[in-house]
Amino acid sequence: MLHYEFMRIALVVAILLGILLPLIGSGVVYKRLSSSGDALAHTSLAGVAIGLAAGLNPLLISIICCIVAFLIIEVLRKKFQKFSEIGVVVVLSASIGIAGILSSYTSQGNFDAYLFGSILLISDWELYLIIGLTVLVLVLSILFYGPFMATLYNENEAKAHGIKVNWINFIHSLILSIVIAVGAKIVGSLVVSSMIVLPTAVAMQFKKGYKWTLIISVIVGVLAMVSGLIISYYAEWKPGATIVLVSVIILIIVFLVKGIITFLRYLKIRKNKLKKC
């Protein structure tokens, strides 16, 4: 597998995305904004359709559309404070409509490639972009770990301690928009939102606190990305779909193991009670 250059590049990208998506996705899950990630993923697809129909760079247009969509979601969230999910639904609905209509004016093969990604067809500038985003998110995660964690648990208390909550949320959402657009190109618009949520969902099952949730989610993300890529190569499946399926299987395995452990503890406690009787 590794004697092909495109597979070596794909493996590097898989590792980088395995780190990048869970790091940026943890905040989304803790803030209960998973639906926003899904809306932005569909927006990226609309951006691709616009780019292909207009003869422009689909990835660049997708990034721009995701940034605009996140700004719209923020505006609508402030306008409908008690019903903040309305903004997500509006953007999601509009994106599906735009993507559906404009897909009629694009090459079906090119458009379909963005549904499940093209991790095996990474250009040099896309590779550099992913490397840059990964480094940026890693640096910001380390430098602003404390303030960001404070905003996740209690925004009002964080503001009272002088933390710029609005700026932190803005920067996080901005980077999230760009990451989703880039990730959609690599693993697919229908897949990227799952990869943002699933590794964190697995990590949260261990209940080790936010720091360990980040670490475990990155490990799970890298494991799912690399395993999915390898399986898809030998099974001749779509890489993006395979990666998500591996992530779901990991989550199911964790659920089963937790259930078995809980059941064994119950049997042990019951056995000890019977002995005392």
Side-chain angles (χ1 to χ4, degrees):
M1 182 181 89
L2 294 179
H3 56 275
Y4 293 112
E5 183 181 3
F6 71 89
M7 285 304 302
R8 293 197 295 269
I9 294 175
L11 182 61
V12 171
V13 171
I15 294 172
L16 291 174
L17 286 179
I19 297 171
L20 178 60
L21 294 177
L23 276 180
I24 198 72
S26 61
V28 175
V29 175
Y30 270 89
K31 290 180 179 180
R32 299 181 181 180
L33 297 175
S34 300
S35 57
S36 296
D38 196 34
L40 290 175
H42 283 80
T43 301
S44 71
L45 192 60
V48 166
I50 294 172
L52 291 174
L56 302 173
N57 187 309
L59 179 56
L60 180 60
I61 301 301
S62 178
I63 291 174
I64 294 173
C65 285
C66 282
I67 293 174
V68 172
F70 121 74
L71 292 174
I72 292 173
I73 289 175
E74 287 300 310
V75 170
L76 292 177
R77 181 177 289 138
K78 291 179 180 179
K79 189 175 181 61
F80 301 99
Q81 293 183 1
K82 294 183 178 180
F83 306 96
S84 57
E85 71 278 1
I86 289 178
V88 175
V89 175
V90 170
V91 169
L92 179 62
S93 303
S95 299
I96 293 174
I98 293 172
I101 292 173
L102 293 183
S103 63
S104 303
Y105 299 93
T106 65
S107 169
Q108 194 64 34
N110 290 337
F111 184 75
D112 289 347
Y114 283 86
L115 294 176
F116 291 101
S118 52
I119 194 171
L120 303 180
L121 302 172
I122 305 297
S123 64
D124 290 341
W125 85 276
E126 289 171 349
L127 175 60
Y128 298 144
L129 179 59
I130 294 170
I131 292 173
L133 282 172
T134 304
V135 172
L136 175 64
V137 172
L138 276 171
V139 171
L140 291 178
S141 297
I142 294 171
L143 292 179
F144 296 97
Y145 172 78
F148 186 68
M149 185 174 66
T151 63
L152 291 179
Y153 284 101
N154 193 317
E155 288 192 359
N156 293 329
E157 189 174 334
K159 288 179 181 179
H161 284 82
I163 296 174
K164 305 294 184 181
V165 173
N166 292 334
W167 273 107
I168 289 176
N169 288 336
F170 178 82
I171 292 172
H172 177 264
S173 297
L174 180 62
I175 296 175
L176 172 66
S177 303
I178 298 173
V179 168
I180 285 179
V182 175
K185 167 64 171 64
I186 308 303
V187 294
S189 297
L190 301 181
V191 173
V192 66
S193 58
S194 301
M195 283 308 300
I196 283 178
V197 174
L198 287 174
T200 303
V202 173
M204 291 176 72
Q205 302 307 310
F206 294 91
K207 298 180 181 179
K208 295 293 184 179
Y210 182 66
K211 179 180 178 180
W212 277 104
T213 297
L214 279 180
I215 295 172
I216 296 172
S217 66
V218 168
I219 294 173
V220 173
V222 172
L223 177 63
M225 291 293 297
V226 173
S227 301
L229 180 63
I230 294 172
I231 293 171
S232 68
Y233 174 79
Y234 289 105
E236 298 183 355
W237 295 342
K238 293 183 181 297
T242 307
I243 289 168
V244 170
L245 188 59
V246 170
S247 301
V248 173
I249 290 172
I250 292 174
L251 181 60
I252 292 173
I253 290 173
V254 171
F255 279 146
L256 290 175
V257 171
K258 281 190 64 178
I260 292 171
I261 292 174
T262 301
F263 181 68
L264 291 176
R265 285 177 179 173
Y266 168 77
L267 290 179
K268 185 177 180 180
I269 293 172
R270 186 174 178 83
K271 184 177 180 181
N272 291 334
K273 286 182 176 180
L274 290 174
K275 284 182 178 180
K276 291 179 179 179
C277 292

